[in-house]
Amino acid sequence: MVELHRPKGTRDFLPRDMERRRWLEERLRGVLGRFGFGEIATPAFEHTELFTMRSGPGIIEDMYNFKDKGGREVALRPELTAPTMRLYVEGLLGAPKPLKLYYFGNCFRYEQPQKGRYREFWQFGAEILGAKRALGEIEILALAHECLSASGLKDFVFRIGHVGVLRKLFLDNGVPPEGQTPLWPLVDKKDFEGLRAALAEMNVDAGPIIAVLGSSGGREVLDNVPGSGLEEVLDGLGRLGISDFVIEPGIARGLDYYTGMVFEVDVPGLGAEKQVCGGGSYSLSELFGAEPVTSTGFALGFDRMLVALEAQGAAFPQRKLDFYIVPMGPKEREEGLRVLAELRRAGRSADIDLADRNLSKALKYASSANASAAVIIGDEELKSGLLTVKDLATGEQRKAPLAGLLK
Ligand code: ATP
Ligand code: MG
């Protein structure tokens, strides 16, 4: 016999899991709709080059990439920003700007799996293309904030930085732009030991740099590093009633293509997988052969949000069944099917015993199916034309005509 296992790092989702996932998805879609974003979808796989263009050749190690039967190098998408920019360049260049786009899709990364880190995971993300820079940044930050609030997440830490500030910090301390690129992954992982070693090789004093990288606080943090334009963004957020963020100049996001504001959101208590959102302003369109367009966006780690919500004991709503019909014999079943069809047609959710169980077993099943009421049909109900309706929460029983259940 063959032993069947899911591939490492993948998950099956049972009805209860899917109920929670759909609930969160609907919540997030609701927010995106209220913010005036339109949904896009792109293929699950792309030419590998699309991702190496955005993220550098190092990304190969993290990807599911292969040659297809036509000899083309393709990869399952590890993220959705590059596909979104490809879609823009291929089909939306002439569309009225700003473009406000969002996506929800599975991504694939060849990583060491653990709680909150999977080989197939889902990103919910948004991008604004062609807005005036600060205005787009305010909108995207407000959107990310609202997505997290509306999901019911508590105690998330919203951290905002600026790679321009970061680059200037390195430059002022003697690291020229071409020397900076290899440092971003170290800054991103807060690997200060590794950073010290790399800076020592360049004969750069790490002290002043690390002091700023480790700092965070209110907007006074910006006083040390003027000229970022972040002040305008923070003012805009204030006017939208958002003030629960910290300024953290050390956010690097690990990639070279970020150009301005960057941000990350953590939920403390999730250990190493605490980051539930990352984003910022970037320039990619030039790389894909199009005119420059201001671009800002983020991706929420959908699975990590669920891990966090579950850890916080969030009250996920449970699907309810309005009625569970229990016929006591073959004649009663005929009537039961008629009642079932009418209830469903009237928009009520209804199910009928399919296992021909006795009353007590059928009622037990009805409770486990989360039914609000059982409709019991026996000899007496057939004669009187009145149905017995049992409230499964209180155990109370009453008689009612079918018409009374349709509303
Ligand atoms: P990490 O540092 O945790 O690997 P990342 O910087 O690689 O995250 P991004 O590329 O910015 O992550 O992706 C955006 C979000 O997607 C992350 O903040 C995280 O919540 C989620 N995410 C990233 N990789 C995974 C994964 N392997 N499994 C589940 N969620 C993930
Ligand atoms: Mg990663």
Side-chain angles (χ1 to χ4, degrees):
M1 218 179 71
V2 198
E3 252 194 288
L4 290 177
H5 293 298
R6 312 182 278 274
K8 186 175 171 184
T10 64
R11 290 156 296 158
D12 292 319
F13 301 110
L14 305 181
R16 199 198 67 152
D17 304 318
M18 284 312 295
E19 210 173 304
R20 294 178 171 195
R21 294 176 73 85
R22 291 291 184 212
W23 173 83
L24 179 57
E25 181 186 336
E26 288 315 317
R27 277 264 137 139
L28 296 174
R29 284 186 193 285
V31 175
L32 272 293
R34 291 199 291 282
F35 274 66
F37 281 68
E39 186 177 5
I40 55 165
T42 60
F45 63 95
E46 299 267 2
H47 295 296
T48 303
E49 207 190 346
L50 180 72
F51 301 111
T52 52
M53 270 166 85
R54 175 204 181 225
S55 308
I59 186 86
I60 293 273
E61 270 179 35
D62 291 340
M63 277 200 299
Y64 279 90
N65 60 309
F66 52 96
K67 249 193 193 38
D68 74 4
K69 289 178 177 140
R72 300 170 197 88
E73 285 290 346
V74 292
L76 299 180
R77 58 186 177 199
E79 50 93 15
L80 275 150
T81 299
T84 300
M85 285 313 287
R86 182 201 44 72
L87 170 148
Y88 162 68
V89 172
E90 232 173 315
L92 284 174
L93 280 180
K97 298 210 178 48
L99 281 160
K100 300 174 81 176
L101 307 173
Y102 86 93
Y103 57 76
F104 177 53
N106 51 353
C107 298
F108 306 85
R109 294 185 192 177
Y110 198 79
E111 301 202 86
Q112 217 32 58
Q114 49 199 290
K115 197 174 176 77
R117 188 175 297 283
Y118 312 98
R119 290 185 172 179
E120 183 189 23
F121 65 100
W122 272 257
Q123 282 192 345
F124 199 109
E127 317 282 347
I128 302 178
L129 306 179
K132 185 161 173 275
R133 176 172 290 271
L135 301 182
E137 290 177 345
I138 294 166
E139 177 79 344
I140 212 79
L141 285 164
L143 175 64
H145 192 278
E146 183 58 22
C147 283
L148 293 155
S149 303
S151 74
L153 259 185
K154 290 187 291 248
D155 305 326
F156 56 83
V157 182
F158 209 103
R159 301 179 288 117
I160 305 176
H162 194 285
V163 295
V165 169
L166 199 58
R167 292 208 169 101
K168 187 166 178 305
L169 171 72
F170 278 85
L171 189 63
D172 289 351
N173 284 279
V175 186
E178 59 281 9
Q180 295 180 9
T181 305
L183 304 179
W184 299 146
L186 298 171
V187 177
D188 183 43
K189 298 289 171 227
K190 297 218 181 308
D191 178 1
F192 291 159
E193 277 323 299
L195 187 63
R196 250 178 231 287
L199 290 172
E201 273 189 29
M202 301 175 182
N203 278 324
V204 171
D205 177 10
I209 292 179
I210 288 177
V212 179
L213 293 185
S215 68
S216 75
R219 53 194 302 165
E220 74 282 353
V221 172
L222 295 173
D223 295 347
N224 310 326
V225 273
S228 65
L230 260 192
E231 286 85 355
E232 186 186 349
V233 173
L234 301 184
D235 287 343
L237 288 179
R239 247 163 261 129
L240 292 169
I242 299 171
S243 57
D244 55 339
F245 50 77
V246 293
I247 306 300
E248 197 178 295
I251 300 175
R253 307 283 308 124
L255 291 177
D256 217 22
Y257 78 111
Y258 284 98
T259 50
M261 181 276 294
V262 282
F263 70 105
E264 294 176 343
V265 186
D266 301 336
V267 179
L270 291 186
E273 278 59 48
K274 64 177 194 251
Q275 196 178 301
V276 295
C277 179
S281 292
Y282 56 89
S283 42
L284 261 188
S285 58
E286 304 91 309
L287 211 58
F288 295 175
E291 291 292 305
V293 62
T294 59
S295 314
T296 179
F298 65 81
L300 292 160
F302 186 80
D303 311 84
R304 285 189 195 172
M305 287 181 74
L306 278 161
V307 171
L309 285 167
E310 283 171 0
Q312 294 181 354
F316 292 99
Q318 260 196 312
R319 187 179 55 97
K320 281 235 165 221
L321 190 63
D322 295 327
F323 299 106
Y324 189 80
I325 301 168
V326 188
M328 303 310 299
K331 271 237 131 355
E332 289 87 346
R333 178 165 295 275
E334 284 173 25
E335 174 63 3
L337 289 172
R338 194 181 68 81
V339 170
L340 178 72
E342 292 238 20
L343 284 169
R344 286 175 174 170
R345 234 174 264 137
R348 314 306 308 272
S349 56
D351 199 357
I352 191 166
D353 171 49
L354 298 178
D356 224 359
R357 289 197 174 99
N358 68 32
L359 182 59
S360 86
K361 284 197 172 140
L363 290 180
K364 226 170 139 187
Y365 180 88
S367 294
S368 74
N370 212 17
S372 301
V375 177
I376 302 163
I377 308 178
D379 197 32
E380 207 190 303
E381 284 78 9
L382 282 188
K383 283 194 192 117
S384 67
L386 289 177
L387 303 164
T388 295
V389 183
K390 186 181 174 78
D391 184 312
L392 290 172
T394 63
E396 268 169 53
Q397 279 190 198
R398 66 191 169 95
K399 300 271 185 198
L402 173 57
L405 304 187
L406 295 179
K407 305 178 227 92

